[in-house]
Amino acid sequence: GGLANSLIGYRLQAARPELDILLLERDDRLGGHHTWSFHTGDLPVDQRAWLAPLITQSWQQHEVRFPSRRRTLESGYHSLTSGRLHDVVTKALGDRALLGVEVTDVMPHEVQLTDGTVIQAGAVIDGRGNADGAHFEVAYQKFLGLIVRVRREHGLKGPILMDATVPQLDGYRFVYTLPFSKQTLLIEDTRYSDTPSLNKAALRSLILAYAKAQSWDIVEIESEEEGVLPIVLSGDINAFWRNAAPDVPRSGMRAALFHPTTGYSLPEAVRLADDLATLSELDGAVLFERIRRRSLEAWKRNGYFRLLNRMLFRAAEPATRYRVLERFYGLSESLIRRFYAGHLTLSDKVRLVTGSPPVPIRRAILCLLERRNIA
């Protein structure tokens, strides 16, 4: 009942109503307490169309702020909240969305629950979050966010995707802000860090201080969300899948389907749901192989992004990592859109690593020369 499986269930219910679908979630709501976002260019028109009922808010522009650069980009940005995901998917699935059920074991054709119940199916898709990461070398994108209501209108026309004018702590730090209404904001303190630990009390204090500095007088904290996402530097994707439970299909983060640099998982989840809806045969073994191949193809396609990740985490000093992103946001808006969509051209790749480097040249060259698991 996370993002990926909720979207699969929702899409299959609409496109393949003859199927008998069951969505299992251990908590009392689907999706937990999260916000997922994507750029307009990340998905084609037809996928954005079926996703539209789940979108909480859309904006026509967004902003980035750095010590030496401030820029507004005129391209669309969209967000889904777990509350909207829960409401729309449970309405679509009805009693086929089971909440408050704990799974103890997953096999190709059955699921066992803690109360001893065994549910049998033609296929089971395991979407229980991050899988064993032993085969990957990772850094982390970690965050704590507060959805707040402020006393007066905040004045934002669109999101601030990165405000890196804040003190640089624990790696590359920025504040991410989404204006959900004239007086409601998600304010998120985000770090690209070498460690996964979150000091939530310290992050809450920093978020409140940031709001005060923006003259946003908070009258209520409506909810809180947090996350730690893997930023893959290198690894062995074949070993990752060899270690998977035989013939049990996976989805989302558990299938290593996410943008390697931003950690965004929604576009890949939409693409997977759309792909599965087209299959004539939905046996577990067929699904396992289909998803495994998608994951392997994505790994091969994303080798360049892992190179950029290594340059960010290995070539740049933690306190100056923001300069990499500051330079990036000086490039053309079309290149930036292709970067987020994961569709860089050869000239884009050359442009990203040429010119005046924002990292020490020797370290950058060492990252460029490293060929391990780039293909």
Side-chain angles (χ1 to χ4, degrees):
L3 174 67
N5 271 3
S6 293
L7 291 182
I8 290 170
Y10 178 73
R11 183 63 177 142
L12 289 178
Q13 188 277 331
R16 305 283 298 278
E18 76 279 6
L19 296 176
D20 185 9
I21 302 164
L22 200 60
L23 184 63
L24 308 179
E25 169 55 45
R26 68 180 178 181
D27 294 325
D28 60 358
R29 57 184 272 169
L30 301 176
H33 297 275
H34 294 289
T35 300
W36 301 276
S37 299
F38 68 99
H39 298 261
T40 298
D42 294 349
L43 296 172
V45 173
D46 58 334
Q47 290 179 345
R48 296 201 306 272
W50 70 254
L51 188 66
L54 294 102
I55 295 175
T56 306
Q57 190 76 25
S58 295
W59 304 270
Q60 295 306 309
Q61 63 181 38
H62 58 275
E63 185 183 354
V64 293
R65 300 174 181 178
F66 295 91
S68 299
R69 186 183 305 281
R70 183 164 175 165
R71 184 178 184 185
T72 297
L73 293 96
E74 302 294 336
S75 58
Y77 194 72
H78 316 269
S79 292
L80 285 68
T81 61
S82 51
R84 174 67 68 87
L85 178 82
H86 172 85
D87 291 344
V88 174
V89 175
T90 53
K91 182 178 180 180
L93 294 182
D95 59 8
R96 291 176 293 170
L98 299 185
L99 306 177
V101 293
E102 183 87 27
V103 172
T104 60
D105 199 10
V106 175
M107 289 168 280
H109 298 289
E110 67 179 49
V111 170
Q112 294 183 0
L113 307 183
T114 52
D115 64 2
T117 301
V118 175
I119 301 173
Q120 296 184 329
V124 177
I125 301 176
D126 187 355
R128 293 176 294 170
N130 289 334
D132 177 16
H135 301 291
F136 299 140
E137 179 188 5
V138 301
Y140 303 93
Q141 184 199 149
K142 58 190 183 183
F143 56 87
L144 181 81
L146 302 179
I147 295 182
V148 303
R149 183 168 55 85
V150 296
R151 191 174 305 278
R152 292 176 295 277
E153 293 185 9
H154 49 69
L156 293 181
K157 294 181 179 180
I160 306 173
L161 294 200
M162 292 182 179
D163 186 347
T165 62
V166 296
Q168 294 299 293
L169 306 170
D170 193 16
Y172 169 47
R173 175 186 175 226
F174 61 91
V175 177
Y176 171 79
T177 304
L178 299 178
F180 285 130
S181 73
K182 292 181 179 180
Q183 291 178 265
T184 305
L185 297 158
L186 167 63
I187 310 174
E188 205 169 81
D189 191 302
T190 302
R191 317 285 174 87
Y192 273 67
S193 176
D194 299 305
T195 67
S197 59
L198 275 175
N199 185 334
K200 290 190 280 188
L203 291 178
R204 287 188 200 101
S205 296
L206 288 168
I207 291 169
L208 297 177
Y210 179 84
K212 184 177 181 180
Q214 306 302 311
S215 299
W216 297 333
D217 183 12
I218 295 174
V219 295
E220 182 184 6
I221 298 175
E222 296 183 353
S223 62
E224 178 176 302
E225 57 187 65
E226 65 182 84
V228 180
L229 305 176
I231 303 297
V232 179
L233 308 181
S234 64
D236 188 340
I237 190 68
N238 291 300
F240 170 81
W241 279 100
R242 284 196 301 269
N243 194 51
D247 291 341
V248 177
R250 295 177 168 193
S251 66
M253 304 294 283
R254 203 168 186 83
L257 290 172
F258 53 89
H259 193 292
T261 301
T262 67
Y264 282 23
S265 59
L266 187 143
E268 286 288 359
V270 170
R271 287 190 278 267
L272 177 61
D274 233 18
D275 184 28
L276 299 189
T278 66
L279 296 181
S280 58
E281 187 177 359
L282 290 170
D283 176 75
V286 172
L287 290 182
F288 177 86
E289 185 58 23
R290 182 78 165 215
I291 296 171
R292 186 186 74 88
R293 287 186 177 277
R294 285 187 68 88
S295 178
L296 295 176
E297 290 166 1
W299 179 269
K300 183 176 181 180
R301 185 172 64 248
N302 290 331
Y304 183 82
F305 289 92
R306 293 193 297 279
L307 165 64
L308 297 180
N309 294 346
R310 292 196 296 275
M311 293 187 72
L312 179 65
F313 283 93
R314 293 180 184 169
E317 294 292 341
T320 60
R321 286 175 184 163
Y322 75 91
R323 294 176 183 168
V324 176
L325 282 301
E326 188 174 59
R327 176 184 179 273
F328 169 74
Y329 273 103
L331 301 175
S332 72
E333 195 162 324
S334 58
L335 187 155
I336 293 169
R337 285 197 295 268
R338 290 191 293 273
F339 176 89
Y340 278 104
H343 300 312
L344 292 175
T345 66
L346 179 58
S347 61
D348 291 338
K349 295 177 181 180
V350 172
R351 182 69 185 88
L352 282 166
V353 295
T354 55
S356 178
V359 298
I361 293 176
R362 181 177 177 276
R363 293 184 182 181
I365 291 173
L366 289 175
C367 289
L368 287 169
L369 292 175
E370 183 179 346
R371 299 297 301 170
R372 182 169 51 129
N373 295 307
I374 293 177

